Amino acid sequence: MLQWVTDGGLETDLLFHHGVDLPEFAAFPLVEDSNGRKLLTDYFVRYVAIAAAAGAGLVLETPTWRANPDWAAKVGYDAAALDRVNQAAVELVRRTPADVPLRVSGSVGPRGDGYVAAGTEADEAAEYHAPQLNAFAAAGADVVHAMTMTGPGEAIGIVRAARAAGLPVGISFTVETDGRLPDGTPLSAAIASVDAAEAPDWYGVNCAHPTHVSPGLDGGDWQQRITVFRPNASTLTHAELDAMEVLDEGDRPLLRSSTEALLANLPSVTTLGGCCGTDSSHVALLWGVRSA
């Protein structure tokens, strides 16, 4: 049963609807600028309204999907600055005016490109992501959510780092049009592999259209581990989306009908939002409430 609204495609919303320049697709620098903080707060407040209309709680992700060392270095952030901005991002989300139950989720992205299989080893990933997770813990994040994971190894490492930081953690994989991860691993096998090595508190799927996720389902018990779904608006492949210069906001009736069909096979999903190409109007549609 759905219980928690979560937000949509922050970066694509800011880029295409608000004309915000996001070098390297990084939203986290906005946290350090007054205009940027207002943009982010206005964005979050739209989802507060959806949660209130739906009678649900709200999970808000920090704008930190790119706030890891490799990507941050490309926009001029060293380790100290990165620690500062990751903590500030948690504090910003915590200050969102909300009249619904609010969970602050520290958003972790992949070390590489979220659309390309990386083959990262677990121990390497744990060491790499630990500073960001420690910053989230220091700032009082409620949970950690690693999104757009492309293979089991990096996911296992992030879970290990989250456990060391004392934070609950969820892993969301992305899939291609055949329901498999970008490295070719079936979704069922990826979840089984991570559970066997270092089980997270929950799983999700993000950055994929519902019609791309469905081929990866086989009715097995493993599907009960999936509690979060954040679909893309578009049915295009990841490669096609990467090459797009205009936003594909998708076929909204198809998004809603295919999400409903998917959730019928994933009754354990409690948290529903969006990913690339979606904004608050898409998420409101999925929840069956008026757009904020």
Side-chain angles (χ1 to χ4, degrees):
M1 176 183 292
L2 293 176
Q3 301 173 6
W4 298 89
V5 170
T6 193
D7 59 297
L10 169 66
E11 291 85 358
T12 53
D13 192 358
L14 292 175
L15 275 167
F16 293 101
H17 294 147
H18 300 279
V20 180
D21 184 28
L22 297 179
E24 304 298 339
F25 211 54
F28 68 86
L30 296 175
V31 172
E32 302 203 285
D33 171 80
S34 59
N35 291 332
R37 289 192 295 272
K38 184 179 187 308
L39 272 171
L40 291 169
T41 298
D42 289 347
Y43 167 87
F44 294 137
V45 165
R46 288 193 284 274
Y47 294 94
V48 173
I50 294 170
L58 180 63
V59 179
L60 288 178
E61 300 284 352
T62 56
T64 53
W65 187 73
R66 282 293 203 218
N68 60 45
D70 289 5
W71 290 103
K74 295 180 180 183
V75 293
Y77 279 72
D78 62 13
L82 198 53
D83 180 76
R84 180 187 70 240
V85 77
N86 273 307
Q87 293 201 46
V90 172
E91 294 160 1
L92 175 67
V93 175
R94 180 72 70 192
R95 292 196 299 269
T96 301
D99 54 359
V100 297
L102 174 64
R103 288 181 181 171
V104 178
S105 177
S107 175
V108 180
R111 181 172 186 173
D113 190 309
Y115 288 167
V116 179
T120 307
E121 295 297 327
D123 288 345
E124 177 188 357
E127 181 179 359
Y128 179 81
H129 289 287
Q132 185 179 34
L133 302 188
N134 290 336
F136 290 154
D142 297 310
V143 296
V144 167
H145 187 190
M147 289 191 283
T148 331
M149 293 291 106
T150 62
E154 187 167 23
I156 292 167
I158 290 171
V159 176
R160 288 178 182 167
R163 297 298 183 217
L167 287 169
V169 57
I171 298 292
S172 281
F173 290 112
T174 191
V175 297
E176 300 295 341
T177 57
D178 60 358
R180 292 173 175 259
L181 273 61
D183 71 353
T185 304
L187 183 57
S188 59
I191 288 176
S193 176
V194 178
D195 266 349
E198 199 77 55
D201 295 281
W202 73 90
Y203 289 95
V205 180
N206 79 293
C207 214
H209 194 271
T211 58
H212 300 170
V213 181
S214 292
L217 304 183
D218 59 15
D221 290 344
W222 63 272
Q223 292 178 193
Q224 298 175 23
R225 293 283 279 133
I226 298 175
T227 67
V228 176
F229 184 47
R230 297 178 58 123
N232 276 358
S234 175
T235 58
L236 294 177
T237 67
H238 285 153
E240 289 169 331
L241 288 173
D242 239 0
M244 292 283 288
E245 294 183 359
V246 295
L247 183 65
D248 181 0
E249 299 193 36
D251 179 325
R252 291 171 188 253
L254 175 62
L255 178 63
R256 181 170 183 176
S257 64
S258 59
T259 296
E260 290 173 348
L262 185 73
L263 295 183
N265 292 312
L266 293 174
S268 56
V269 169
T270 60
T271 306
L272 178 63
C275 205
C276 290
T278 67
D279 56 31
S280 58
S281 66
H282 292 84
V283 175
L285 176 71
L286 295 180
W287 276 87
V289 301
R290 187 179 296 275
S291 176

